[in-house]
Amino acid sequence: MTVARLHGHRAKRLYVLDFGLFDVRNGERIIGIAGYLVETDRGGRVLIDTGFPTAYATDPGIADRDGLPRFGRLIDHSPHQTAEGQLAVLGLTPADIDLVVLSHGHIDHVGSLPLFTCPVVMTARERADPAPSYFGTARPMAWPDTDYHLIDADTDLCDGLTLIPTPGHTAGHLSALVTLPDTGPVILAVDALNRISEPAERFADSADPVTSQISADRLFALQRETGAMLIYGHEPSQWPELSKAPAFYG
C-alpha cells in the first residue's frame, strides 16, 4: 500500500505498543519504550516506530557489542516486547503493516525497521544521514533497502493522521497528530517532548536545544488549540497510565 492509497481512509484506532523498559545512564531514570499502531476504517495499518532490534531480546551480547551500555541498559525487553511480539498480541505480523512511519533514527525507534518490507515514511533530513543516528557515535545499522517516502512539511497520511516535522532532538525528527472518533485528538510527541521536565531542562539531550524548544512550543500550541491528549516520548510518570495493546484508543 502506497501513501496515496491511504487517501480516503480515516484513523479509527490507536494502539500503544509496549517495547519494554530502559534504564537511562544506569539509574538516571527508567523509561518506557513505545511504538504506535494506527488502524483505519478501511483496514489500513500504520506502524509508528519499531523499537529496539529483535535480537536484543534474546542475545544481550549483541546490544553490548553495539555499544548500548554507554547509554544505558534494557531491564525489561522480552521477545513479547519486540515489534514482532507486540504485533502478535494483535494477531499481526510485520507483513500485515502497510506503512511504517519512522520518527527518527535513534536505536529505540529504528532498531527493528529491517523486519518490514512496506514503504517507510520519514523526513528527508533524517534519511539524509548516511546511516541511522542510533546513539552517540555508534552506527551499527544501515538503512534498509526499501521504498522511502520522504517528507519535509506537515503531511496528512489519511483523514485523522497528520505527520508533523519537529526538528531538534534530531535534525529530522517527526511527531504525529492522530484524531480518533471517540478519544478525539492525540499528539504523539515522540522525542520532540521526551518527558515533562525537558523544557525546564532546556532540552539538554537534544542535538539542537534551541530548535527543540521551537518544536515543543508548536506542539504545546497545538494541544491548546485542539484539546489533544499529549503522549510524551518517554515520560516515566505517564508510561504506566497509558493503555497498552491489545487495549486501544478509539
Side-chain angles (χ1 to χ4, degrees), residues 11-14 160-161 176-188 226-231 249-250:
K12 179 181 178 181
R13 291 179 176 176
L14 170 67
L161 177 53
L177 173 65
V178 185
T179 303
L180 299 165
D182 296 322
T183 304
V186 181
I187 296 171
L188 306 178
T226 64
M229 172 185 179
L230 192 154
I231 299 181
Y249 297 92

Side-chain angles (χ1 to χ4, degrees), residues 1-7 9 98-99 118-119 121 147 149 157:
M1 181 178 288
T2 65
V3 176
R5 286 178 60 189
L6 282 178
H7 292 168
H9 289 235
D98 299 303
L99 290 173
C118 61
V121 183
D147 180 14
H149 292 256
L157 290 187

Side-chain angles (χ1 to χ4, degrees), residues 100-186:
V100 170
V101 173
L102 185 67
S103 66
H104 63 299
H106 284 167
I107 181 174
D108 50 328
H109 302 266
V110 74
S112 288
L113 189 61
L115 296 176
F116 299 89
T117 57
C118 61
V120 175
V121 183
M122 59 187 300
T123 65
R125 177 63 188 85
E126 197 77 4
R127 183 60 180 81
D129 280 348
S133 49
Y134 234 58
F135 61 90
T137 58
R139 297 291 187 275
M141 176 182 168
W143 290 112
D145 183 12
T146 193
D147 180 14
Y148 292 91
H149 292 256
L150 305 180
I151 65 173
D152 57 12
D154 290 8
T155 300
D156 293 329
L157 290 187
C158 67
D159 190 3
L161 177 53
T162 300
L163 304 183
I164 305 170
T166 46
H169 184 76
T170 64
H173 189 277
L174 194 61
S175 301
L177 173 65
V178 185
T179 303
L180 299 165
D182 296 322
T183 304
V186 181

Side-chain angles (χ1 to χ4, degrees), residues 24 28 30 46-47 81 83 99 189 191 243 245:
V24 179
E28 182 175 303
I30 305 296
V46 180
L47 178 68
Q81 291 164 308
L99 290 173
D191 288 354
S243 296

